Amino acid sequence: MERPRWWLFLLPGIVVLDLVCLCKAIESPHYAVVHAESDFEVRLYVNSTWMSAPVNELSFEKATLFGFHRLFQYIQGANLNSSRIAMTAPVVTSIVPGAGPFRSSAYIVRFYLPVKFQADPPVPLDELHLKPYTWNSRCVAVRKFSGYAKDENVAREAKRLAVSLSMSPWFNVTSTESNCSYSIAQYDSPFQFIHRTNEVWAYIKAPGANGCQPSGIASY
């Protein structure tokens, strides 16, 4: 399987992150599964705080590279407290249609802040052009896929999720509260060549009177 070459720019930092990940489990946002089918599930995520990097770029891969490079500097101490922040997962790249140059897609790359910094995130240096983002509790439809998330497969996986939703009780419930068409969540280092985990996320409104409530299937 071909490895994306643009990750070579992050090689020194990624090696360090790999060593950190081997030593301890990394934090992830908490959620409960409220609906599960063979090819997708619906999760209810709790409130959380992320650091976000907006990027105007045509390519999903380049946008993720450039956005994460700024976020990596931030967690390595490029903030007013000079705080070093542990790596978390996933790194999420959201596609914002029509917001880029010539009404092309733009992107927002987001980093989930560890519990230690959820209430009071270190302020990033101005030159990084980062913003804290409060992610209110919401329902998310999720489809997993393997391999590397690349320009040629992320839109295809998002379409597959849309098709699955169209044949489910969650048909036609994509949320209009988010300006993102979909997001790609990446969980693994680029040097993990097999058994990789990626996800397509679509924000949805829950159908029915009870809304998006945990069904007791699983919580994470």
Side-chain angles (χ1 to χ4, degrees), residues 96-109:
V96 186
F102 308 108
R103 299 195 63 78
S104 61
S105 291
Y107 302 85
I108 302 173
V109 185

Side-chain angles (χ1 to χ4, degrees), residues 1-4 146-150 190 192-196 198:
M1 184 180 296
E2 182 184 357
R3 185 183 357 170
S146 59
Y148 288 96
K150 304 176 74 172
Q192 179 171 325
F193 304 131
I194 60 175
H195 306 305
R196 296 184 59 81
N198 312 293

Side-chain angles (χ1 to χ4, degrees), residues 49 114-121:
T49 304
V115 171
K116 176 181 178 181
F117 297 107
Q118 280 286 306
D120 188 20

